[in-house]
Amino acid sequence: MCGRFKLKVSWSDLWQMYNLIRPEDKARNTAPRYNIAPTQDVPFIHVDKDGNQVVSEGRWWLVPHWAKEPTSKWPMFNARSEDAHKKPAFRDAYKTQRCLMPADGYYEWTKNAEDGKKDPWLIELPEFKPFSFAGLWAYNSALDVTSCTILTAAADPNIKDLHHRMPIILKPEAYENWIDPDRSVDEARELLGQNLGSDLTFHRVSRAVNSSRVEGPQCAEAV
């Protein structure tokens, strides 16, 4: 599961991870975000009709192209990688609308034995390196909504004590093939094995992040 993440790194450092050629994609100026929550707009990288990698903004809560409402009773900010390609909500996007969602950390929670409250943990790569979640995106023309979701898998052994699920963080060498719409679903699914789960580290952070209304560096302060 991934219910919150952060994107602190500057875009001038981030865009070098991708093969972006549009001047407007290279010149983006995004503010640091420490507490990104479902339904908020986030950037994602995908391939346009001309075969070029581009950046779009979308709602982090997938709205299928056939949906009549922007929200549903089911959580659509994550999709199980094991069966997303079969689910009506995700299977069309899985075929040709796979994306990369940039981040540099995400949060999970455990229950505190002393006070019963939730303790947040920040999960990152060593040296705070930015990375990309494997995602899916969709455009609903009737609602005029662009949206995306993060694929998840069983947690790597080194972080499974925090949560039994984790977002799939792709290795950079898998980026181009993952978002290539000419890759079959089976080929794309195989790429999900190229992930950085075993490299992740984690530490406790402030409970300020527990509220989705709080935004700022205090959310990622170590405890």
Side-chain angles (χ1 to χ4, degrees):
M1 180 179 179
C2 178
R4 302 280 181 79
F5 68 92
K6 72 181 183 76
L7 184 57
K8 174 187 174 183
V9 66
S10 68
W11 190 258
S12 62
D13 291 330
L14 192 64
W15 73 266
Q16 299 176 64
M17 295 166 53
Y18 311 107
N19 295 320
L20 302 171
I21 61 173
R22 297 191 310 186
E24 62 266 35
D25 287 341
K26 293 184 178 182
R28 290 170 64 91
N29 184 18
T30 54
R33 298 175 68 184
Y34 295 87
N35 194 6
I36 299 171
T39 73
Q40 294 179 358
D41 283 352
V42 296
F44 64 89
I45 290 80
H46 63 103
V47 174
D48 68 8
K49 62 181 181 180
D50 297 319
N52 298 316
Q53 290 189 19
V54 296
V55 183
S56 291
E57 292 277 340
R59 186 175 188 264
W60 179 29
W61 182 291
L62 195 95
V63 181
H65 66 87
W66 43 260
K68 297 180 180 180
E69 303 270 349
T71 58
S72 70
K73 63 180 180 179
W74 308 111
M76 301 288 284
F77 55 92
N78 286 169
R80 287 174 54 89
S81 62
E82 294 89 342
D83 55 13
H85 63 295
K86 299 179 182 179
K87 298 292 185 180
F90 304 118
R91 64 189 177 196
D92 289 336
Y94 211 120
K95 293 176 183 177
T96 58
Q97 292 177 265
R98 300 179 293 269
C99 66
L100 300 165
M101 297 173 60
D104 50 37
Y106 75 98
Y107 302 95
E108 288 294 358
W109 283 260
T110 58
K111 186 175 181 179
N112 187 291
E114 295 182 2
D115 62 13
K117 296 182 180 180
K118 291 184 177 181
D119 288 330
W121 300 78
L122 176 57
I123 304 169
E124 301 171 303
L125 288 179
E127 301 178 0
F128 319 111
K129 292 181 179 178
F131 52 78
S132 298
F133 297 124
L136 308 173
W137 73 279
Y139 175 66
N140 184 305
S141 59
L143 300 173
D144 192 24
V145 173
T146 300
S147 59
C148 55
T149 189
I150 294 171
L151 288 168
T152 67
D156 193 86
N158 71 316
I159 60 169
K160 68 178 183 179
D161 289 341
L162 298 182
H163 198 279
H164 67 284
R165 302 287 295 177
M166 63 173 286
I168 295 176
I169 297 172
L170 285 177
K171 292 182 178 180
E173 51 264 37
Y175 287 1
E176 185 173 350
N177 287 331
W178 171 251
I179 61 176
D180 182 354
D182 292 330
R183 296 283 173 178
S184 70
V185 169
D186 288 341
E187 289 175 319
R189 292 186 67 210
E190 288 183 6
L191 292 170
L192 297 180
Q194 299 184 41
N195 69 78
L196 297 170
S198 61
D199 294 344
L200 294 170
T201 64
F202 58 89
H203 61 272
R204 275 271 312 280
V205 293
S206 167
R207 286 180 176 174
V209 76
N210 289 9
S211 171
S212 62
R213 295 188 295 272
V214 177
E215 173 57 69
Q218 68 269 33
C219 293
E221 288 179 356
V223 173

